[in-house]
Amino acid sequence: QVQLVESGGGLVQVGGSLNLSCVASGTIFRINDMAWYRQIPGNQRELVARIDRSGKVKWQDAVKDRFAISRNNARKTVFLQMNKMEPSDTGVYFCSADVAETYKDYVRERWGRGTQVTVSS
């Protein structure tokens, strides 16, 4: 069974910074893409950033100049450094990872339970 656990969320003032982490654990043969999504109440979950094993990143345009995503493949961890935060960044941030549990399996997208981020003005 694969688990993704996010940490690092909390309350921050406008212009401040937070660093989110997400660790994958369990039966894991391979992790392809890892990503961060966020969900604002009343809205659909939206992609913040996705990173592949080589470090290539796909960004949401609204954050690409303020946020940074990175990963440590050996530690099965993905990070999201959020800077110059704005009230519109408020939401629940979810980690996802495309995981194959054994060499015979196709990758499937797995999700964490999310961590709340609140930016106060």
Side-chain angles (χ1 to χ4, degrees):
Q1 187 174 1
V2 176
Q3 286 190 320
L4 300 180
V5 179
E6 301 99 336
S7 61
L11 176 65
V12 64
Q13 292 187 332
V14 170
S17 299
L18 282 176
N19 188 22
L20 305 183
S21 301
C22 172
V23 180
S25 62
T27 305
I28 297 173
F29 171 72
R30 180 181 176 89
I31 300 177
N32 287 352
D33 289 9
M34 303 185 82
W36 288 97
Y37 287 76
R38 68 185 180 191
Q39 189 164 20
I40 300 165
N43 289 16
Q44 289 187 335
R45 195 172 296 185
E46 61 180 12
L47 176 70
V48 176
R50 176 176 289 273
I51 184 168
D52 69 14
R53 290 182 62 85
S54 71
K56 184 177 180 181
V57 179
K58 177 179 179 180
W59 282 107
Q60 181 193 116
D61 287 343
V63 305
K64 65 181 180 180
D65 294 330
R66 300 183 292 117
F67 292 5
I69 187 171
S70 60
R71 63 188 283 175
N72 183 317
N73 291 331
R75 296 188 177 185
K76 303 181 181 64
T77 304
V78 63
F79 306 94
L80 185 69
Q81 176 66 43
M82 302 185 289
N83 303 314
K84 299 178 181 179
M85 296 186 72
E86 304 169 352
S88 59
D89 296 322
T90 294
V92 179
Y93 283 68
F94 296 89
C95 168
S96 80
D98 295 338
V99 179
E101 293 187 45
T102 75
Y103 72 95
K104 296 182 292 184
D105 293 329
Y106 293 105
V107 294
R108 288 193 293 144
E109 189 169 35
R110 310 301 179 96
W111 292 90
R113 294 188 175 184
T115 184
Q116 176 69 43
V117 170
T118 304
V119 184
S120 68
S121 55

